[in-house]
Amino acid sequence: MTERNFLASVGRTFLDFLAVTGRIVVFALAAIFYALRPPYYPRLILRQMVDVGYYSLPVVGLTAVFTGMVLALQTYTGFSRFAAENAIANVVVLSVTRELGPVIAGLMVAGRIGAAIAAEIGTMRVTDQIDALTTLSTNPYRYLVAPRLIAGFTMVPLLVLVADIIGVFGGFLVSTYKLQFNAASYIQRTVDFLQTQDVAAGLAKAAVFGFIVALMGCYNGYHSRGGAQGVGAATTYAVVSSSILILVFDYVLTEAFFAR
Amino acid sequence: MSGDPKIAIRGLRKSFGSKHVLQGIDLDVGVGESLVVIGGSGTGKSVMLKCILGLLQPDAGSIRIDGSEVVGLSAGEREALMRKFGMLFQGSALFDSLAVWENVAFGLIQGRGLKRAAAREIALQKLAAVGLGADVAALRPAELSGGMQKRVALARAIAAEPEIIFFDEPTTGLDPIMADIINDLIIKCVKDLGATAISITHDMASTRKIADRVAMIHNGRIIWAGLKSEIDRSGNPYVDQFIHGRAEGPIRMEVRAR
Ligand SMILES: Nc1ncnc2c1ncn2[C@@H]1O[C@H](COP(=O)(O)OP(=O)(O)OP(=O)(O)O)[C@@H](O)[C@H]1O
Ligand SMILES: [Mg+2]
């Protein structure tokens, strides 16, 4: 009997998972549907872009510079035994543009923006503000959700571009000041190994991550219930689920872009 | 009531899980009529308004506005229909990211496409009508007292001069003088604009002032409806207990039985 109960609970969990996935997809499609139809809200979109893009610069920049620095240090530790210090520039530029830039920026944005979106929309839900929007002939998908999705989708790639530059610069700092490499040849190697397609793939990842963060923030906020506690739970779900999804999609996209 | 009703509700049901809140509401509201709905706390008055507005999906029943069915409208049709409505939410539900005047002007700017400057003028007029000056207009809702928020919410509900206005506890939390000013304002909306109004209130003084007709909701049904003048001789023990605010009576028994 316990085996059957176990199987039943596995099955139920799986069905729940499918149901939630379906609801999120429907939610996203509805938001995209309304985002493409007038009226548009350029002011709201702009405000969200500034929030997501500009105000995330400090956190993303700081994490990127330290990631680049530690990457250079670790690579040196690993490669110096094989007298291959020159590979540092290669490793730094490749890792940062392909992988670390998008993932680090995505995770930071998940914490900063995903939580803020979920808390704001969640509060609007539990205080009837979303219902009030509807009674004032304003579609909440168009007014609240679409601007955030657009901002996430467009601004996180720009953030990642900045993170790429700062991350590579962090590696450069450690290599030249601490490890005493020649600056000119380090830069030369970086430029040699810098691939347009690596950067482009990183930016494509970033667009997906930005969309995921905004979507999970909006979805969890929109469906929150039960006062402050419900908003807190929605915020947690938003951050945790978008962080996990970022890592999952990072693998999937890497497989799609780079696996031969 | 003359002619076809503005709002006609038949067999409206709504449950949350095993909690059967509305169990077959039948209610008509005539054009230009002011109906007051009374009933104990948690009997589903707010839920009923939200069902009419389509904010909650009814489980069963029919709601007709101007003779046409509105249950199950598409999102686009619903958005157009909303232009007929104004709603004062029980908890005010002001947008806390916007200034007070932007809250009041919201339906004018977003819903009707007015220019901001023109909408601001109207918003200031409506704020003045609820006793709030221009100095308040630039503040955020969080900077206002509860009663002031309620008045801003009222100004927002009537700003676009809708055909149908719902007031969910418009005078709760106001001092008696301001409550009376709000009562006058509601009467003015109904009489001057010819709006149809449903108000929910626990305030019997307010009920006697603003109502044309009164309906009482209990156990998910309308158990009594009649003209305001008939309310004192309804012959209904529930109504009698409610309007006199007696602790003893049929309603108390059911509370105890839970
Ligand atoms: N979204 C919801 N989910 C679950 N239950 C709900 C929901 N909204 C309302 N209810 C339940 O429905 C019942 C009626 O709620 P409603 O808000 O309509 O009461 P009310 O008559 O307006 O009371 P009050 O006079 O206190 O405002 C309550 O028991 C409440 O718990
Ligand atoms: Mg209520």
Side-chain angles (χ1 to χ4, degrees):
Chain A
M1 272 329 273
T2 46
E3 281 160 41
R4 272 190 49 198
N5 284 343
F6 174 71
L7 282 180
S9 82
V10 168
R12 205 174 309 119
T13 311
F14 184 65
L15 288 180
D16 285 349
F17 172 77
L18 289 184
V20 170
T21 309
R23 278 198 286 269
I24 293 173
V25 170
V26 168
F27 184 85
L29 290 178
I32 293 169
F33 174 88
Y34 287 115
L36 296 177
R37 277 162 187 73
Y40 306 111
Y41 296 108
R43 282 172 49 140
L44 292 179
I45 296 173
L46 205 66
R47 219 188 77 202
Q48 292 303 325
M49 284 180 152
V50 171
D51 244 19
V52 175
Y54 184 71
Y55 288 111
S56 297
L57 275 175
V59 245
V60 169
L62 267 178
T63 45
V65 74
F66 282 105
T67 305
M69 285 164 68
V70 93
L71 194 60
L73 214 52
Q74 294 285 30
T75 312
Y76 178 74
T77 322
F79 282 59
S80 58
R81 280 182 237 150
F82 311 107
E85 303 94 349
N86 288 346
I88 291 181
N90 183 3
V91 169
V92 167
V93 75
L94 193 87
S95 312
V96 166
T97 53
R98 278 189 173 194
E99 203 56 48
L100 292 171
V103 171
I104 298 269
L107 291 177
M108 292 321 286
V109 169
R112 217 191 82 84
I113 301 298
I117 290 176
E120 186 178 1
I121 295 188
T123 305
M124 292 187 72
R125 162 61 69 200
V126 302
T127 56
D128 282 343
Q129 288 180 53
I130 294 185
D131 284 347
L133 271 182
T134 310
T135 64
L136 294 165
S137 298
T138 303
N139 185 303
Y141 283 98
R142 202 180 272 139
Y143 187 83
L144 292 175
V145 179
R148 287 165 171 80
L149 292 184
I150 292 171
F153 186 74
T154 54
M155 295 316 279
V156 177
L158 291 185
L159 276 175
V160 166
L161 205 56
V162 176
D164 283 353
I165 295 167
I166 295 179
V168 169
F169 178 68
F172 168 81
L173 281 184
V174 166
S175 304
T176 52
Y177 284 90
K178 186 162 165 47
L179 306 175
Q180 315 291 338
F181 286 179
N182 179 288
S185 70
Y186 186 92
I187 292 173
Q188 185 57 48
R189 290 194 145 268
T190 299
V191 173
D192 286 347
F193 285 110
L194 186 66
Q195 296 271 337
T196 313
Q197 73 184 66
D198 288 349
V199 177
L203 296 188
K205 281 181 178 181
V208 173
F209 297 167
F211 187 81
I212 288 174
V213 167
L215 178 65
M216 296 316 287
C218 291
Y219 175 82
N220 284 291
Y222 200 84
H223 292 102
S224 64
R225 58 184 71 202
Q229 203 180 8
V231 175
T235 309
T236 308
Y237 285 137
V239 175
V240 172
S241 60
S242 52
S243 303
I244 293 173
L245 283 176
I246 282 174
L247 296 176
V248 171
F249 273 83
D250 185 44
Y251 180 80
V252 172
L253 294 174
T254 305
E255 187 82 51
F257 290 145
F258 299 114
R260 320 231 133 86
Chain B
M1 213 193 312
S2 59
D4 288 339
K6 187 81 177 170
I7 305 172
I9 304 171
R10 292 289 175 275
L12 180 64
R13 288 173 177 274
K14 178 72 187 173
S15 303
F16 296 101
S18 62
K19 191 167 205 169
H20 306 296
V21 179
L22 303 180
Q23 308 179 31
I25 297 271
D26 296 316
L27 192 63
D28 283 332
V29 191
V31 178
E33 183 177 67
S34 171
L35 175 79
V36 168
V37 177
I38 57 174
S41 191
T43 47
K45 304 182 295 295
S46 300
V47 168
M48 183 182 81
L49 291 190
K50 287 185 178 178
C51 285
I52 301 174
L53 289 166
L55 301 172
L56 290 172
Q57 188 65 36
D59 298 333
S62 137
I63 299 169
R64 291 173 170 273
I65 308 282
D66 292 325
S68 50
E69 183 64 47
V70 299
V71 173
L73 282 187
S74 74
E77 294 166 321
R78 174 67 64 182
E79 212 173 309
L81 179 72
M82 280 300 172
R83 295 213 172 92
K84 290 188 180 179
F85 284 98
M87 166 84 182
L88 165 65
F89 286 85
Q90 189 169 0
S92 294
L94 298 175
F95 305 127
D96 37 33
S97 59
L98 300 177
V100 164
W101 79 264
E102 288 174 311
N103 265 282
V104 178
F106 194 93
L108 299 167
I109 297 172
Q110 307 296 351
R112 326 242 154 169
L114 247 72
K115 288 269 176 302
R116 280 175 74 82
R120 195 188 143 94
E121 278 310 306
I122 298 175
L124 291 179
Q125 282 169 23
K126 301 292 172 185
L127 282 171
V130 295
L132 295 172
D135 48 330
V136 174
L139 298 178
R140 298 271 153 167
E143 296 171 281
L144 306 183
S145 74
M148 289 162 93
Q149 290 179 6
K150 189 126 236 174
R151 285 187 272 157
V152 174
L154 184 76
R156 183 175 73 179
I158 61 174
E161 309 196 341
E163 293 170 33
I164 304 169
I165 320 182
F166 294 161
F167 302 101
D168 198 344
E169 307 202 3
T171 55
T172 310
L174 301 182
D175 64 80
I177 300 168
M178 190 45 74
D180 204 48
I181 293 175
I182 298 301
N183 288 337
D184 286 334
L185 193 70
I186 292 173
I187 294 169
K188 189 163 169 286
C189 284
V190 177
K191 293 290 167 287
D192 292 4
L193 308 175
T196 305
I198 299 183
S199 314
I200 292 173
T201 183
H202 298 294
D203 175 351
M204 289 317 294
S206 174
T207 304
R208 287 174 197 281
K209 188 150 183 187
I210 64 180
D212 296 326
R213 280 196 325 136
V214 180
M216 175 149 176
I217 185 169
H218 184 69
N219 266 350
R221 291 201 174 77
I222 301 290
I223 55 162
W224 185 83
L227 294 174
K228 169 171 64 175
S229 52
E230 298 165 354
I231 192 168
D232 289 311
R233 41 192 168 80
S234 64
N236 186 314
Y238 292 89
V239 176
D240 277 344
Q241 185 192 351
F242 193 89
I243 62 175
H244 296 112
R246 291 194 204 105
E248 294 303 320
I251 301 178
R252 168 73 179 274
M253 309 265 283
E254 281 158 30
V255 173
R256 233 187 236 152
R258 269 242 176 116

